Amino acid sequence: MANTVTYRQSMQSEAETNVPIGLITGTNLSAILGQHLRVIEVDTPFGAPSAAFVLTSISNRLIWCLARHGTSSQIKAFDVNYRANVWAFKELGVQSLIATATVGGINANVEIGDIVIPDQIVDYTFGRKHTFANELELASVDFTFPFSRTLREALNQALPDERPSSEQLHWTYGCTQGPRLETAAEINRMGKDGCDLVGMTLMPEAVLAREIGLHYAAICLVVNRAAGVGGKTIDIEQIPVMTSTRIPVLRDYLERVLQLIE
């Protein structure tokens, strides 16, 4: 399958074609971006990505950014064109891809407002186009450790000093289908499966990045307790409020991260 990239603006400087870092912004998280230096549309063999790609500068580093759910958050997690998104980052020359995501906390040691870096995934999704295997004639890929070790080291190093001890920095993300949130019984099962966090978007994003040779890791912002944790329901209206209040913290954290990535 031929590689194709179509640019809305055809002329790019040499600096703009040498941008090795990509950022995927999750629900209500696009506000962490700085000034839009360039906006381009990318076409792929798998159709159109979620939105146009934005070139921005954070901590004096140029990065390509994409809103996973579209510019108006109109694309539900199960409808995201994950293959087009990841393929386009590769075509743009990205080598290290950082995903941001809002999540619910299952583990009692995870507090609302925390930034958590997962190191494992349990995939509960179904029916998503989850591989490049046929197009790239791939054999099975090793997915024992689904996130890039070197990228996670940078993400963990940039965390605030008050974070838990090193043995507590191993978190498992459970990826559900959506769009509904989970039942209390489902969260109870996920906790027994070893999940600390629950979200809807890191799969198949993570495995597609592995198949295509990108370093991939995720920054998860905890915006609510998962269903039934502490015997409580979820206040849906408070999720965007919590997300908004943590944007400055997340932006500062991302600046520290980008200073650590070569």
Side-chain angles (χ1 to χ4, degrees):
M1 180 173 290
N3 299 354
T4 47
V5 181
T6 302
Y7 296 94
R8 188 196 314 172
Q9 301 180 34
S10 58
M11 297 301 293
Q12 287 184 286
S13 71
E14 182 178 350
E16 291 172 354
T17 59
N18 185 28
V19 181
I21 303 173
L23 177 70
I24 299 174
T25 57
T27 306
N28 299 317
L29 292 176
S30 293
I32 63 177
L33 302 185
Q35 180 184 4
H36 292 192
L37 302 177
R38 181 178 291 271
V39 178
I40 67 170
E41 293 178 346
V42 182
D43 189 21
T44 82
F46 306 98
S50 295
F53 283 74
V54 173
L55 184 70
T56 189
S57 177
I58 300 177
S59 193
N60 295 318
R61 298 291 301 273
L62 289 175
I63 56 174
W64 282 116
C65 304
L66 176 69
R68 184 192 286 115
H69 298 283
T71 53
S72 302
S73 298
Q74 73 275 18
I75 306 173
K76 303 303 182 185
F78 60 89
D79 271 339
V80 170
N81 191 342
Y82 293 98
R83 295 196 298 175
N85 289 353
V86 173
W87 186 276
F89 274 111
K90 181 74 170 182
E91 290 287 353
L92 288 171
V94 166
Q95 300 169 19
S96 295
L97 181 57
I98 300 171
T100 63
T102 54
V103 299
I106 301 174
N107 190 311
N109 291 321
V110 174
E111 301 290 343
I112 295 176
D114 277 356
I115 295 172
V116 181
I117 312 303
D119 67 335
Q120 281 294 333
I121 295 177
V122 179
D123 187 7
Y124 300 97
T125 66
F126 52 88
R128 300 183 182 189
K129 295 181 179 179
H130 63 281
T131 182
F132 294 121
N134 291 334
E135 290 77 12
L136 299 182
E137 298 182 358
L138 294 172
S140 298
V141 295
D142 177 26
F143 206 52
T144 305
F145 301 103
F147 300 103
S148 163
R149 179 183 61 82
T150 55
L151 201 49
R152 282 192 73 253
E153 286 178 354
L155 295 179
N156 279 322
Q157 186 177 343
L159 286 171
D161 293 338
E162 64 268 19
R163 293 299 306 169
S165 57
S166 59
E167 65 268 17
Q168 293 178 319
L169 288 176
H170 298 286
W171 309 103
T172 297
Y173 174 105
C175 192
T176 59
Q177 181 71 359
R180 69 170 178 84
L181 298 181
E182 301 71 35
T183 67
E186 288 169 332
I187 292 298
N188 183 55
R189 180 192 65 169
M190 293 177 69
K192 292 177 179 178
D193 287 347
C195 296
D196 304 294
L197 312 167
V198 57
M200 301 177 187
T201 54
L202 297 192
M203 287 295 289
E205 204 170 77
V207 71
L208 291 169
R210 177 63 54 87
E211 286 186 345
I212 211 168
L214 297 178
H215 294 280
Y216 176 92
I219 301 169
C220 293
L221 177 64
V222 182
V223 294
N224 62 275
R225 292 285 188 193
V229 174
K232 297 181 179 180
T233 60
I234 298 172
D235 186 344
I236 299 294
E237 293 181 355
Q238 283 301 308
I239 292 178
V241 175
M242 171 55 64
T243 304
S244 178
T245 62
R246 299 299 285 175
I247 287 295
V249 175
L250 190 59
R251 185 185 295 115
D252 290 345
Y253 169 69
L254 189 58
E255 289 181 355
R256 295 195 300 272
V257 166
L258 293 175
Q259 293 171 4
L260 297 172
I261 299 176
E262 297 182 0

